[in-house]
Amino acid sequence: MLQRAGVSIPPMTVLERLAPGDLAGVMRAFRDGLRAHQERVNRLNVYPVPDGDTGTNMALTLESVVTALDGCDDLGSVCQAISRGSLMGARGNSGVILSQVLRGIADGCKEAVDGAGATEIAAALANASEGAYAAVMRPVEGTILTVVREASEAASKAAAAGGTLLETLEAARVAGEDALNRTPEMLPVLKQAGVVDAGGAGFLLMLDGALHVADGRPMPEAPALDGTDAPDYSGLDAVADQAHGSTPGLADLRYEVMYFLEAPDSTIPAFKDVWAGIGDSIVVVGGDGIWNCHIHTDDIGAAVEAALDAGRPRGIRVTDLMEQVEEERWVRDAAALPPEETVAMPVPTAVVAVATGDGIRRIFRSLGVQQMVAGGQSMNPSTAQILEAVEAAPAREVVVLPNNKNIVPVAEQVGELTDKTVRVVKTHGVAEGFAALLEYDPEASAEENARCMGEAADRVIAGEITHAVRDAESDAGTIHAGDFLGISRDGIVVVAESLNEAGAGLLEKLVTDDHEIITLIEGEGATAANTRHLTEWVREHRPNAGVEVHHGGQPLYPYLLSIE
């Protein structure tokens, strides 16, 4: 009997079998472990694009499982909840593969009426491995598939030798970790980045959850992370095609398409054959008439049409992988920037701005911004990151320019977390941020600056030009993936096949004869010829307005417009 502070503590009971409540407890512990380690797993992800979402997708998949477990108290309902919850909640390539692993475990345990012991758990892991390999169109070693398989093989050996539940789980955990550590030797893309497979790392947390339930050992603590923990993505292009069974060149496939397919099971082999000809990273899991389907492809239409031939797709989700690559790259570049060579002098009121693009950062700095936070469209900084910049600002009062409507509510939380006086000017774009800074007075209070800067931002007519990532309908007409879009505060107002057409169309919509200054901020994708076309359009059609051109370097948006 243990003694602690003079009190006898009975030893923790070691389970010999997992009852329904224990199996549900494993899923909850797995979910909690994924949430705690989510960012660590995200940082490991390198394929097919460095979008850093593996941990998030796996955690969201488990959230769906845990939600489905509410009210389940018998083995049948628990296994059904694990199977159904993981299928319906799977997110991304990693989540879909994980759902098949969990479905295999559920199927392997559902007949264990007396609880799942060593033999049943070993069989369930083997079932999970077989199902995962079958779900992936082109299985490749060095991924979560390898980790699950080697863990299941070790569990089978331990159970066959008469091992207990605990010994079987420990054998699986040791073998799984050994396989994970060897994944960089199997996949050059991992070795180049200096990381292990993200999905495999996430899977090991399930075995940790099982050990936690079996004998009460604590879940592993998530490590503290900093910028040095990120993978090295330099040079990955030469080896990325080798990952996950890609055909040479398929690592450049642009779109991730996911949907649920309601179709007879007999139609799925032909459906997979069609998908095999149009993409890669194909995972199709499910059964009994409902399937979760995932593919990377350049042909969104063909990916959806294949489903129509088999049955009925629903919940279609399309992600532009190129956009994710660009966002990740500028975040890495921003993190790699050397410290500012000049030290900002203390002022009564400082400005913190959210921005991306080397040119935009230089312009903001020249207009008086003391602290910058890397962020922008669909890559939003956290409250903690903005708070850190506010605390570092050389003033007791601070004005924050979010420069994106999604970042405004995040920025508005900062004031409650610091002793400094913080005011947020609700700038929805970079153009509004520039206009606001023209009214910035470092000697005035944050309250006064926020009022004047906000009024200046409101006077600006802002516009953006970007490209469409998927087919859609809009008030401006039908949108096809790859079209160029002109966007104002009212939404999409121009749809065009070329950047020049979109730019001229947006200027036509926004600029009147009363306007005096048009500022064009060039981003990635803009060329000197494009800029000359737009300036010539203004000279011909709005001769009273002058044009200023600045290099912003922002990703995804070839031009940002400010009109006054």
Side-chain angles (χ1 to χ4, degrees), residues 302-327:
V304 176
E305 287 170 5
L308 296 173
D309 290 338
R312 184 170 74 91
R314 58 185 177 86
I316 298 172
R317 300 193 298 274
V318 179
T319 301
D320 188 331
L321 300 176
M322 183 179 295
E323 177 178 304
Q324 293 184 343
V325 170
E326 290 300 308
E327 289 169 350

Side-chain angles (χ1 to χ4, degrees), residues 40 43 68 117 140 146 199 229 258 294 296 381 438 440 462 508 547:
R40 175 180 70 89
R43 293 196 184 193
V140 169
T146 304
D229 300 294
M258 289 188 67
H294 173 282
H296 292 164
L438 295 177
Y440 166 53
E508 175 75 38
V547 180

Side-chain angles (χ1 to χ4, degrees), residues 61 64-65 81-90 95 99 102-103 292:
T61 303
S64 179
V65 171
I82 294 172
S83 182
R84 181 77 175 178
S86 62
L87 176 67
M88 303 306 292
S99 76
L102 296 178
R103 285 165 58 82
N292 196 328

